[in-house]
Amino acid sequence: MEGKVSMRGEDYEKDFIPKDYLTTFYSFGSGTVAEMEILKFSLQNLYQTFSAGGVGGDVLIDIGSGPTIYQLLSACEVFREIIVTDYTPQNLQELQKWLKKEPGAYDWSSIVQHVCELEGDRSRWQEKEAKLRKTVTRVLRCDVTKTPPLGSAQVPLADCVLTFLAMECACPDVETYRAALRRLAGLLKPGGHLVTLVTLRFQHYMVGPKKFSGVYLEKETVEKAIQDAGCQVLRCNCVSLSYSEAYCVNDGLCFVVARKGPSA
């Protein structure tokens, strides 16, 4: 199995180990420099978008949450309700562990403290954790390659759809990626925001000994796909940051904030 590139959904169900993923990419303070820099870039952009950038509202839907909560730490201050979603049952279980404060849940405290420091008060990290647990109201299965992506779940149109480092892993090619973004735009209210972080020129990443592939995207491809989904790009922050080659082969990251048009 080692060296085999996993792509299909059943490969994720069988081979994706949440704890391996978390310890590789989210060991804040003790992990490798490249992964730390990417995480800091993510948290800074999320803070700017939600705390100072005016993006907020009633409902945020996080698509492809994985087993992580870092992407929601700033958003929970400006949304009444957050719905988290993922394709993989074990990722949803890992999320539930943290939300319910169960034994063995991943320790996000150092990352929560970093976000609180960005917001001006590191000491309120426990308050923020409690706020996020209260704000996440639903944990749902999703498949962005299907219509509708949330299956039979009844959800309101969202003020924001967030998707971080997920779409390029869920989609095997550009056409699938473009179609998936159209589905995500369909979850938004007119005037709602799409916020995404994409790994550029992505080839594969490692979770333990298992290799997972995805779609190779350039900045222009991402922007055009968002525009063709009926959203106007408001902010596009692309940087040359890349992961440690042993963990992920990519070249750059692109953080985008877009707004759905009134008639999209």
Side-chain angles (χ1 to χ4, degrees), residues 60-93:
L60 178 145
I61 301 175
D62 185 30
I63 296 290
S65 306
T68 69
I69 56 94
Y70 75 97
Q71 70 277 16
L72 306 170
L73 291 168
S74 291
C76 74
E77 304 291 346
V78 292
F79 286 93
R80 182 178 53 80
E81 176 183 0
I82 292 175
I83 298 168
V84 296
T85 73
D86 200 70
Y87 178 86
T88 311
Q90 59 265 38
N91 282 339
L92 298 178
Q93 289 164 11

Side-chain angles (χ1 to χ4, degrees), residues 170-188:
C171 301
D173 53 54
V174 171
E175 277 315 304
T176 308
Y177 173 74
R178 289 170 56 80
L181 279 186
R182 290 194 294 271
R183 292 185 187 99
L184 298 198
L187 298 172
L188 279 170

Side-chain angles (χ1 to χ4, degrees), residues 29-63:
S30 61
T32 51
V33 171
E35 282 62 48
M36 288 267 291
E37 287 305 308
I38 287 170
L39 187 50
K40 286 180 179 177
F41 172 80
S42 303
L43 297 172
Q44 179 69 35
N45 278 278
L46 288 163
Y47 162 67
Q48 288 172 348
T49 299
F50 295 120
S51 300
V55 176
D58 287 329
V59 178
L60 178 145
I61 301 175
D62 185 30
I63 296 290

Side-chain angles (χ1 to χ4, degrees), residues 205-218:
Y205 71 108
M206 304 298 296
V207 179
K210 310 298 185 186
K211 185 184 287 187
F212 294 86
S213 67
V215 60
Y216 184 101
L217 296 168
E218 299 280 1

Side-chain angles (χ1 to χ4, degrees), residues 227-245:
Q227 289 162 356
D228 289 349
C231 298
Q232 177 194 2
V233 174
L234 304 178
R235 182 171 166 232
C236 184
N237 185 8
C238 290
V239 291
S240 60
L241 290 173
S242 296
Y243 288 98
S244 305
E245 205 168 312

Side-chain angles (χ1 to χ4, degrees), residues 8-21:
R8 296 182 305 276
E10 58 264 32
D11 291 322
Y12 269 87
E13 288 194 61
K14 182 162 56 76
D15 294 336
F16 193 96
I17 308 298
K19 278 284 163 63
D20 286 350
Y21 174 74

